Amino acid sequence: MTRASLNESRLSEHVDRLGLEHPPIDLDSVDYAVARPDLFNERYGHVLDYMARVELEVDRNVLELTTLLPDPPEIDRRFYAEVWQPQETRHGLILDKLQVELGRPPATPDLTSIGVKMRILGALAHLDAFQDVCRMLYYLTGMATERSAVLAYNLLHDGVVEMRETAVAETVIAPIKRQEPGHYAFYQLSARGLWGQLAGWQKWMVRRMRSFSFAPVGANDDQQKADFGELMRTLHIDERADDFAQQISRVERELLWAHQRGLHVPPYVAKAFREAVELARLRRAA
C-alpha cells in the first residue's frame, strides 16, 4: 500500500469513528440553567455571541468550500457533510440558545457571502494542480480554526466551572469541546498527507498565499478582529498570545517553514493575534 492510500485509509477510518462516537449533540440533553445570569452575561456573554456566530457560519463555509474545491476527494465531502457541518451547526444552535436565555439578542451569522478572492481562487481551482494548492490552504485553515476552538473552549470551560455554573459547564461547553479535537485531527492528517505530494512550486504558492490570507477564526474585518481580541482578553489569552499562536500553528510551522529552523511562530500568525488585541484595546479606549 502506498503512503497516499494508507493516509486515505486512516482518514476514512477516522471519519467513520467520528460519525459513530460523536453524533451531533442531542438538544434535549442540554441544561441552560444559570444561577447568576447577570454575572455570567457580563463575563462571558460576548464570548458566547462570537462562538455562536462562528459555529453557525458553517453553512457559509460549505458554500466557500464548494467554490474553492470544485472537485474535492470523496473523503473531504464525507467529512464536512456527515460530521463537521452537522456537529458545528448544533454547537452554534446551543450556544445561541444559551445567550438568548441570558437575555442577549441572537447571533447574526453571515450565511451567504462569498468574497471576490474566494471566487477567483475557485475559478483557478478547476486546474488540478492549483486545486491541490487550494486544498492545502483549506486544511491549514481548518487546523488553525479547530485548534483555536479547542484551546478557547477549554479555557471557557475552566472559567464556567470556576463560577460554579455546573449545568452549562457539563451540558453545553464540555460536550462541544469534546467534538473539536476530532475535526483538528482530520485536518492534520489531510495536511500531512497532501504536503508530501506537492511539487516545489505548489509549496511556494501555499506559503505565499497563506502569509497574506491568514486571519483568526471568524475575524473577517476590523470589527470582528476587535471582537476576537476581546475574546482573547476575557479568556486571558492576550497574556500569552505568542504561546497561543505557537500552539495553533505548530503543524503549519513544521510543514511549511521547517527550512527556517529558528521560526517558532509564522510571523503572520503572531501579527494577526497582536493586531486583534490592539484593535480591542483601541475600541475600549474610544
Side-chain angles (χ1 to χ4, degrees), residues 98-249:
L98 175 58
Q99 74 164 344
V100 170
E101 291 285 324
L102 293 172
R104 299 178 60 84
T108 54
D110 178 358
L111 302 180
T112 58
S113 297
I114 299 179
V116 174
K117 290 181 181 179
M118 185 67 67
R119 294 183 186 278
I120 292 173
L121 285 175
L124 292 172
H126 284 84
L127 305 172
D128 289 344
F130 199 83
Q131 180 163 199
D132 286 343
V133 171
C134 293
R135 279 177 59 206
M136 193 68 205
L137 291 169
Y138 158 55
Y139 298 147
L140 293 170
T141 299
M143 275 197 298
T145 296
E146 300 299 343
R147 187 61 179 157
S148 295
V150 169
L151 296 172
Y153 280 123
N154 283 339
L155 292 169
L156 178 60
H157 183 263
D158 291 346
V160 174
V161 168
E162 186 179 332
M163 292 184 69
R164 298 184 180 179
E165 296 290 358
T166 305
V168 171
E170 292 184 355
T171 72
V172 176
I173 312 302
I176 291 175
K177 78 186 187 77
R178 279 196 293 268
Q179 293 190 335
E180 301 292 354
H183 305 169
Y184 174 77
F186 174 84
Y187 292 122
Q188 182 182 180
L189 282 169
S190 299
R192 290 187 182 279
L194 180 58
W195 186 252
Q197 301 173 37
L198 297 182
W201 73 267
Q202 291 173 309
K203 292 180 178 180
W204 179 89
M205 184 70 72
V206 170
R207 291 189 185 102
R208 289 289 297 167
M209 296 180 68
R210 185 65 170 161
S211 66
F212 61 73
S213 64
F214 177 85
V217 53
N220 302 307
D221 55 39
D222 283 351
Q223 179 178 331
Q224 292 178 349
K225 289 175 184 177
D227 291 341
F228 186 82
E230 199 61 44
L231 179 150
M232 292 176 68
R233 177 173 175 265
T234 299
L235 299 179
H236 304 291
I237 296 170
D238 61 326
E239 299 169 6
R240 47 196 177 95
D242 288 345
D243 177 62
F244 185 81
Q246 187 169 342
Q247 290 191 59
I248 74 160
S249 61

Side-chain angles (χ1 to χ4, degrees), residues 55 58 83-92 146 180 183:
E55 300 279 20
V58 66
V83 175
W84 177 65
Q85 185 177 20
Q87 289 181 0
E88 299 281 27
T89 300
R90 194 63 58 87
H91 297 172
E146 300 299 343
E180 301 292 354
H183 305 169

